[in-house]
Amino acid sequence: MLLPYIEKSRIEAGCDEAGRGCLAGAVYAAAVILPPDFHNATLNDSKQLTKKQRDALRPVIEKEAIAWAVGIVTPEEIDRINILKASFLAMHHAIKQLKVIPEHLLIDGNRFTPYPDIAHTTVIKGDGKYLSIAAASVLAKTHRDEYMEELNAEYPDYLWNENKGYPTKAHRDAIRFHGTTPYHRKSFTLLPPTLLPPTQLTLDI
């Protein structure tokens, strides 16, 4: 059973990101402040839920949350500052947009760049331990999936409606045969050397 808070007397916001391990697309993060008495039997780490469950939970969370927001960092900025910093920055963007200022932040993971004037606690696998982090994971995931489905209409060869930008075989095969798009993260290893087209292989003679 997920916990509602670390300390009942303060306003806590749960934060989580989606898309960190993808080869393409922006990284998304969400910040969610839930009522202390919030309860939902389905809510869990978004990775443990089906798409149907996540899609059903999203409007419930957005309606019942005291405040929620989603932050985005583009592929270009990911390439410029690296994905770890970009994930934290996306969380900062989400926190900044909250209509209620939290007194404490619950961050999924073991590292975080401190947000100005708000204390935080990092929680390893926090999306499976705290309701607010689980709610943030659902919002980050569903908003990002929606974005990748929109990008798929522009670049259907990469099957982003299915893989959401993650490094599946189909995605990497598409990169190999069609090249990259403006949405690919150029700082990532998009193709392992064994999958590079012959013209891109360097031979030591």
Side-chain angles (χ1 to χ4, degrees):
M1 185 174 179
L2 301 187
L3 300 172
Y5 41 73
I6 289 181
E7 187 176 311
K8 185 177 182 179
S9 62
R10 66 188 176 192
I11 301 171
E12 293 182 340
C15 302
D16 200 4
E17 54 74 27
R20 186 166 160 178
C22 294
L23 303 180
V27 64
Y28 274 55
V32 179
I33 301 173
L34 293 175
D37 59 350
F38 178 86
H39 175 74
N40 186 288
T42 305
L43 182 57
N44 199 351
D45 168 10
S46 64
K47 296 184 291 296
Q48 304 300 319
L49 301 173
T50 65
K51 182 181 186 301
K52 183 177 181 180
Q53 289 173 320
R54 291 192 298 266
D55 289 345
L57 279 167
R58 175 173 158 180
V60 173
I61 295 167
E62 292 178 352
K63 179 181 179 181
E64 297 190 23
I66 293 172
W68 66 271
V70 173
I72 303 168
V73 173
T74 66
E76 294 82 4
E77 194 159 11
I78 291 170
D79 288 336
R80 185 173 63 83
I81 65 175
N82 78 47
I83 185 59
L84 181 62
K85 292 179 181 177
S87 298
F88 298 157
L89 182 60
M91 290 185 189
H92 279 223
H93 288 336
I95 296 163
K96 185 177 182 179
Q97 295 177 73
L98 289 172
K99 294 181 179 179
V100 175
I101 300 174
E103 298 169 323
H104 190 259
L105 304 172
L106 296 178
I107 308 296
D108 183 57
N110 62 356
R111 286 187 287 177
F112 183 61
T113 301
Y115 189 86
D117 302 321
I118 303 178
H120 71 270
T121 298
T122 56
V123 185
I124 297 173
K125 296 184 179 179
D127 44 8
K129 297 177 181 177
Y130 287 94
L131 285 168
S132 61
I133 302 179
S137 77
V138 169
L139 293 194
K141 173 67 173 167
T142 54
H143 279 266
R144 188 180 186 279
D145 283 358
E146 187 174 80
Y147 152 79
M148 291 305 298
E149 288 162 9
E150 291 172 0
L151 295 189
N152 182 72
E154 188 176 352
Y155 291 97
D157 292 325
Y158 301 86
L159 302 180
W160 289 335
N161 59 322
E162 297 177 9
N163 61 55
K164 303 303 187 288
Y166 283 93
T168 62
K169 182 179 184 300
H171 187 182
R172 281 190 153 137
D173 284 346
I175 296 171
R176 183 182 180 192
F177 290 110
H178 301 287
T180 60
T181 71
Y183 300 107
H184 278 101
R185 301 172 183 177
K186 307 305 190 294
S187 58
F188 280 44
T189 302
L190 301 179
L191 288 179
T194 55
L195 293 180
L196 286 172
T199 55
Q200 295 185 31
L201 291 174
T202 301
L203 300 179
D204 294 323
I205 299 176

